[in-house]
Amino acid sequence: MNPPERRADEAGPPEVDEAATREAFFEAFGGVRGMVETTVPGLVFVLSYTINRSINVSAAAALSLSAVLLVARLAQRDTAKHAFGGIFGVAFGALFAMMSGDAKNFYLPGMLYTLGLGVAYVATSLAGVPLLGVVLGPVFKENLSWRTRNPGRKAAYTKASYVWGAILLGKSAITFPIYFWGDATQLGWLRVALGIPPFLLAVYLTWIILVKAPAPIDVIAEWEEREKAKEAAKEAEKKAASSGGAAEAGPPEGEKDRLGSRASD
């Protein structure tokens, strides 16, 4: 004997589509290529500076590589946001380093960004609007529905945002002392070493947290369904109006003549 089917209003949240979640993660965080585009230019700078001790040459090499990576993205008509982010970060770093004459300042914009982002993750979580949910909501087609309609998912975003904040602030706590008391090569190699591993750790922990959370509510699909329902209602109203008009018009002209002759008989 088969168990009775559960009613729609008694059913639990839909199961999480792990493949869709994984794909969304790649889209949001840029995947391997995105990590390369944001990490390798810094590696080129510190490698060049370690060899030739020239800020201008090293900055030009890093900036040229970022430009090549951006052009490659554009030529392939691929998403270029990570490449744009990389080239802007390298450009600001190169400008800071050349204007100050201190190679360590090549890394200062990125360090300040990391610190600010870490603070933002923690602050938005404390405020009840976790930054990770704001970032990933559109990717999962749920926008900000998790804030009021999906409390389990909001809790997951909050927890994951705290994870990101802790990792980024920990990274800042390691790099800033070297910026103040170390030299440029030490800071450069440290930044390279702390580039990809903490990022991968944050992404992995976020994946673990979100894959156990309730599935996102696809507000885009809901909107499309509402629009279809509105169109169907309009079509039904038109059909009802046309059939009602035909009934009010009475019988055809030939039928009227036959009815009149019968009445005279």
Side-chain angles (χ1 to χ4, degrees):
M1 182 176 179
N2 295 329
E5 296 184 359
R6 298 176 68 182
R7 287 171 23 197
D9 58 353
E10 295 177 348
E15 294 183 0
V16 177
D17 187 343
E18 293 194 15
T21 303
R22 193 178 300 113
E23 183 179 349
F25 263 72
F26 284 137
E27 180 181 345
F29 297 120
V32 175
R33 187 172 182 178
M35 287 186 288
V36 169
E37 290 168 343
T38 55
T39 303
V40 171
L43 173 61
V44 169
F45 179 87
V46 68
L47 183 62
S48 174
Y49 186 76
T50 300
I51 295 172
N52 56 49
R53 293 291 170 176
S54 171
I55 295 175
N56 292 344
V57 171
S58 302
L63 191 57
S64 298
L65 177 60
S66 293
V68 169
L69 294 173
L70 175 60
V71 170
R73 282 272 196 178
L74 296 176
Q76 296 173 356
R77 298 181 180 181
D78 200 355
T79 303
K81 61 181 179 180
H82 296 283
F84 272 117
I87 196 169
F88 280 123
V90 172
F92 278 117
L95 182 64
F96 273 48
M98 289 187 291
M99 289 181 63
S100 65
D102 188 348
K104 288 190 293 185
N105 285 333
F106 176 82
Y107 302 100
L108 184 58
M111 292 169 61
L112 292 174
Y113 175 77
T114 298
L115 177 61
L117 192 59
V119 171
Y121 273 117
V122 174
T124 55
S125 297
L126 291 171
V129 190
L131 181 59
L132 196 66
V134 176
V135 172
L136 292 181
V139 176
F140 289 118
K141 299 181 181 180
E142 61 180 333
N143 295 338
L144 297 180
S145 63
W146 49 266
R147 290 194 62 196
T148 55
R149 301 176 56 191
N150 205 340
R153 195 158 182 86
K154 178 181 178 180
Y157 279 137
T158 301
K159 184 177 180 180
S161 291
Y162 278 127
V163 168
W164 277 87
I167 289 175
L168 294 178
L169 292 177
K171 182 177 175 179
S172 296
I174 296 172
T175 55
F176 270 99
I178 303 300
Y179 173 81
F180 289 114
W181 296 296
D183 60 33
T185 54
Q186 290 174 332
L187 179 62
W189 289 113
L190 180 62
R191 287 278 298 174
V192 171
L194 292 178
I196 293 179
F199 175 81
L200 291 179
L201 177 61
V203 172
Y204 173 74
L205 293 177
T206 302
W207 162 261
I208 294 299
I209 293 169
L210 290 186
V211 81
K212 297 178 180 179
I217 298 172
D218 192 337
V219 295
I220 304 300
E222 289 184 345
W223 177 82
E224 291 175 349
E225 287 297 323
R226 286 195 299 268
E227 290 300 311
K228 289 179 182 178
K230 288 179 182 179
E231 291 296 325
K234 288 180 181 179
E235 290 295 326
E237 288 178 2
K238 289 180 181 179
K239 289 181 180 179
S242 61
S243 61
E248 291 176 1
E253 194 64 32
E255 186 65 24
K256 287 181 179 179
D257 292 341
R258 287 195 294 273
L259 289 174
S261 62
R262 288 179 183 176
S264 61
D265 294 341

